[in-house]
Amino acid sequence: GPGARTSPRTKQNNPNSNVFAGFCKLGIIIMLFVFPKQVESLYPHPGWVELDPEVLWSQFIAVIKETVQAAGLHMRQIAGLGISTQRVTFITWHKKTGKPFHNFISWQDLRSAELVNSWNKSLLLKVIHVIFTVLHFLTGSDRYLAPSFLTFSTHQASMKLSWVFKNIHEVKAAKKNNCCFGTVDTWLLYRLTKGSVYATDYSNASSTGIFEPFTKCWSPTLCNLLSIPMSIFPPVKDTSFNFGSTDSEIFGIPIPIMAVVADQQSAMFGECCFHPGDVKLTMGTGGFWNVNTGEHLFASRGSLYPLIGWKIGEEVVYLTEGSISDIGTAIKWAQDIDETAEMAKSVADSQGVCFIPGLQVSGDDPYLCASFMGLNPSTNRNHLVRAILESVAFRNKLLYDIIVEKVNIPLRTIRADGGVSNNSFVMQMTSDLINKKIEKPANVDMSSLGAAFLAGLASGFWTDKKQLKKLRQIEAVFEPQKDSEEYRPAMDAWLQAMKHSPHW
C-alpha cells in the first residue's frame, strides 16, 4: 500500500521456513497455534461463548499429525513441541477421572457481565483499593501497585470461575481437592501426558486476572473474596521449559514439550520485542497493544494492565497491555480482509458514516451494541466497509495515546502481526494517526513462531536471542503519509457517535 516498503514475498523469506530447515538435521520443532476459529464456538445462551473440549483436543492432535505429514517427516524426527494457545479461556475437570465438568468458557464470554459491573461499583472494592494504596504508601513496596482484581473485566477468568462454582452442580459437589482448573495450555498438557503433568506457565497464569504478576502467585485475597478454593490451581513453570513428554500412545513415541506460552506473549517473543519500549500490535479476532516494560511492573492504569511476558530461568519480562475487541470479526463480516482495503480506498471518505464496534477500547461496557450511524441515501457498500476499517484505526489511535500517556518508557519499534495486519488500509491509516512507522513481518502468525523460538531455546537449538533476531524477515514498513489532523473531522464524528452508543 502507499507508504509501505515491501520486500519480495518468497518461501526463503518466510521465517517459519528457516526454522523448519534448521531443525531438519537434528529434529524439528513443530509450531502450533490453536486458533479459536478452527474450533467452532458454541452459544448456548445469549452472551455465552463456549468451546467443546473434545473437538478442540481432536483438532489439536490432527494439526500436529497433518503438519508432520505435510513436511514429509516422521514423528521420530520431532525434537520437541512448542505450544501457543488462546489465553484466559478455561475449563474445570475432575482430578481423578479427568472428565470435564463443563465446556471451555471463552475469554469472550459475557455471562459474568452483571457480576463484574456490580463488583466494580461495590463499596467493598473501593475500600480494598484504599487499603492497597495505603499499604503501598506505608511500605513503599510495589507489590501493592498492581493487584489484578482492583478492576474486574468480563475478559478475565476470575468472575466466570466464581460463576462456575456457584452455578454448576458437579463442581459444587466435587470436593475441592478433586477439582482442577486449567486454561487451554494446562488442559492440553494434562491430556498429552495422560494426567502426569498438571501445570501452566507464567504468561498464561498472569493473563487470567487471578494470578498476581508481582508476587508471581495465585491471589489468595481474590480467591477468598470470590470463594474460590486455592487448591484448584496448577503449579506455574517457566515459559521456556521441559514440561515433560507426550504419552507414547498418542504419537507412537514420547515427544518432549519444551515451551508453553500464551498467544499474545508468544507473538511478542516471535516479533523479537526483547527490549524495554518495544511495542507489538496484534490485530486478529481482537486487537492487542503490548509494550515491553522490562523488569519494571506497571500498575493497572485505566484500560492498561500488567502481564508477565515470559520467564526464562532468572529472567522475568513484564508487559503492559491494552486490548480492543472484535476487530477481525467485524472486518470478516464485511468482506475478505485483503479485498476490504481496496474497497475502502475506492472512496474518498466514509461520507459521514460511522461504525460503532461491539465493545469500546476498555471493554468496560459489555452492552455496547455494534451499529452504523450517519447512513444516507447515497451510502454504498464501500462507504460501510471504509467506516469499519476506519473504526479499527481510530481505536488503535485511542489506545496508543493512552499508552504514550501512562507508560513512562520511551517507545521504540512498533511491529504488527495478526490477520488484519494484511489490510494495507488499516495499517497505513494507523501509521498516519499515531505518526509512527509500523513494521509488518513476512509471516503474520507470530504466536506459533514465538512458541518455536521458546522451545528452541529450551532444547538448546538456539543459545541466545541474538540468533533469533537474525531470523526476522520484514515484508513491509508503513510510514506516515498524511498529517493526523487530516483525519480529525472523521475521528471527531466517530467519537461523537460512540457517545450515543453505550448501555444499549
Side-chain angles (χ1 to χ4, degrees):
R5 302 198 309 269
T6 61
S7 60
R9 191 167 189 173
T10 64
K11 187 175 181 180
Q12 287 73 25
N13 283 341
N14 185 330
N16 290 4
S17 297
N18 292 333
V19 173
F20 280 126
F23 276 104
C24 280
K25 295 178 181 177
L26 301 174
I28 262 187
I29 284 185
I30 292 291
M31 293 177 293
L32 294 175
F33 181 69
V34 181
F35 286 101
K37 67 181 180 183
Q38 288 183 325
V39 181
E40 182 180 357
S41 294
L42 307 174
Y43 306 95
H45 300 285
W48 293 25
V49 186
E50 299 181 352
L51 302 174
D52 186 318
E54 292 306 318
V55 171
L56 187 149
W57 168 251
S58 62
Q59 292 197 15
F60 177 83
I61 296 302
V63 166
I64 299 177
K65 292 180 177 179
E66 289 168 9
T67 303
V68 173
Q69 184 177 6
L73 301 166
H74 298 283
M75 285 294 178
R76 63 178 177 273
Q77 294 175 270
I78 307 303
L81 299 179
I83 305 174
S84 170
T85 58
Q86 184 183 108
R87 306 178 301 177
V88 184
T89 296
F90 73 90
I91 194 169
T92 62
W93 66 93
H94 197 285
K95 184 178 291 186
K96 292 182 179 178
T97 67
K99 182 180 178 181
F101 292 123
H102 52 85
N103 285 335
F104 275 102
I105 298 177
S106 169
W107 68 277
Q108 296 170 306
D109 189 283
L110 297 176
R111 72 186 66 193
S112 63
E114 291 186 4
L115 194 58
V116 166
N117 288 336
S118 63
W119 264 98
N120 284 339
K121 296 175 183 176
S122 70
L123 178 61
L124 177 59
L125 202 62
K126 290 184 174 74
V127 170
I128 294 172
H129 194 290
V130 170
I131 291 173
F132 272 85
T133 302
V134 171
L135 286 171
H136 172 62
F137 178 77
L138 293 176
T139 65
S141 173
D142 287 346
R143 68 175 295 178
Y144 299 113
L145 273 179
S148 60
F149 55 86
L150 289 186
T151 302
F152 287 109
S153 164
T154 55
H155 291 168
Q156 295 171 336
S158 52
M159 281 297 184
K160 284 176 275 199
L161 182 57
S162 177
W163 182 95
V164 164
F165 271 91
K166 291 176 181 176
N167 292 279
I168 297 181
H169 174 73
E170 290 81 2
V171 178
K172 291 191 290 185
K175 294 181 180 179
K176 64 180 182 179
N177 291 328
N178 284 329
C179 181
C180 294
F181 164 90
T183 42
V184 177
D185 61 296
T186 302
W187 193 75
L188 289 177
L189 277 174
Y190 193 82
R191 291 291 298 265
L192 284 167
T193 60
K194 292 199 172 179
S196 66
V197 176
Y198 179 50
T200 188
D201 92 295
Y202 284 90
S203 68
N204 277 289
S206 72
S207 303
T208 62
I210 309 172
F211 187 88
E212 288 301 340
F214 186 85
T215 59
K216 301 183 192 65
C217 65
W218 300 104
S219 172
T221 306
L222 176 61
C223 289
N224 285 332
L225 276 175
L226 301 181
S227 300
I228 299 172
M230 290 286 291
S231 61
I232 71 170
F233 297 108
V236 184
K237 307 293 185 182
D238 281 10
T239 307
S240 182
F241 178 77
N242 189 340
F243 284 82
S245 295
T246 63
D247 188 274
S248 59
E249 291 184 6
I250 297 175
F251 300 119
I253 60 167
I255 300 175
I257 303 166
M258 304 302 291
V260 167
V261 59
D263 56 3
Q264 296 308 318
Q265 288 94 319
S266 186
M268 192 85 171
F269 203 88
E271 290 271 29
C272 296
C273 292
F274 301 141
H275 305 287
D278 282 349
V279 181
K280 186 268 304 173
L281 166 59
T282 294
M283 293 185 288
T285 306
F288 297 88
W289 285 81
N290 296 91
V291 181
N292 184 325
T293 60
E295 61 184 15
H296 300 290
L297 177 66
F298 284 80
S300 296
R301 291 176 171 90
S303 53
L304 304 179
Y305 44 90
L307 294 172
I308 294 176
W310 51 84
K311 183 177 183 297
I312 305 174
E314 295 300 313
E315 179 195 40
V316 180
V317 172
Y318 292 104
L319 310 179
T320 289
E321 180 175 276
S323 62
I324 308 168
S325 297
D326 299 326
I327 282 182
T329 306
I331 295 177
K332 199 66 179 175
W333 170 78
Q335 191 73 18
D336 180 80
I337 284 175
D338 293 326
E339 185 179 333
T340 55
E342 297 308 313
M343 295 173 71
K345 293 172 188 175
S346 71
V347 291
D349 53 48
S350 68
Q351 209 176 63
V353 177
C354 296
F355 176 71
I356 309 305
L359 290 171
Q360 295 190 57
V361 170
S362 66
D364 291 334
D365 180 12
Y367 301 107
L368 186 65
C369 182
S371 59
F372 285 101
M373 290 188 182
L375 298 174
N376 58 71
S378 60
T379 299
N380 62 38
R381 188 182 184 188
N382 293 340
H383 294 124
L384 298 178
V385 168
R386 184 174 178 115
I388 291 174
L389 300 191
E390 286 182 346
S391 76
V392 175
F394 290 152
R395 285 186 285 169
N396 280 336
K397 165 66 171 171
L398 289 179
L399 199 45
Y400 177 80
D401 286 349
I402 293 172
I403 290 170
V404 170
E405 179 187 355
K406 302 293 186 182
V407 179
N408 299 318
I409 291 179
L411 301 184
R412 293 160 49 105
T413 307
I414 299 177
R415 295 165 180 165
D417 66 277
V420 180
S421 68
N422 287 320
N423 191 293
S424 59
F425 181 89
V426 171
M427 291 289 288
Q428 186 59 56
M429 188 172 176
T430 300
S431 175
D432 291 344
L433 286 169
I434 68 175
N435 195 33
K436 290 280 187 180
K437 73 176 184 179
I438 305 174
E439 296 178 0
K440 175 183 171 294
N443 186 296
V444 296
D445 180 15
M446 286 293 107
S447 295
S448 57
L449 187 60
F453 282 171
L454 287 158
L457 287 172
S459 66
F461 184 82
W462 293 297
T463 56
D464 56 47
K465 299 189 188 77
K466 291 180 181 178
Q467 293 176 300
L468 304 181
K469 289 181 181 180
K470 295 177 182 178
L471 297 176
R472 286 197 72 242
Q473 295 289 337
I474 301 171
E475 182 182 82
V477 178
F478 291 84
E479 298 183 339
Q481 296 295 304
K482 292 183 180 180
D483 191 306
S484 61
E485 285 302 309
E486 293 186 38
Y487 297 100
R488 178 57 55 192
M491 188 164 182
D492 285 346
W494 180 78
L495 290 170
Q496 189 64 29
M498 290 282 284
K499 292 179 182 178
H500 292 288
S501 301
H503 310 294
W504 183 260

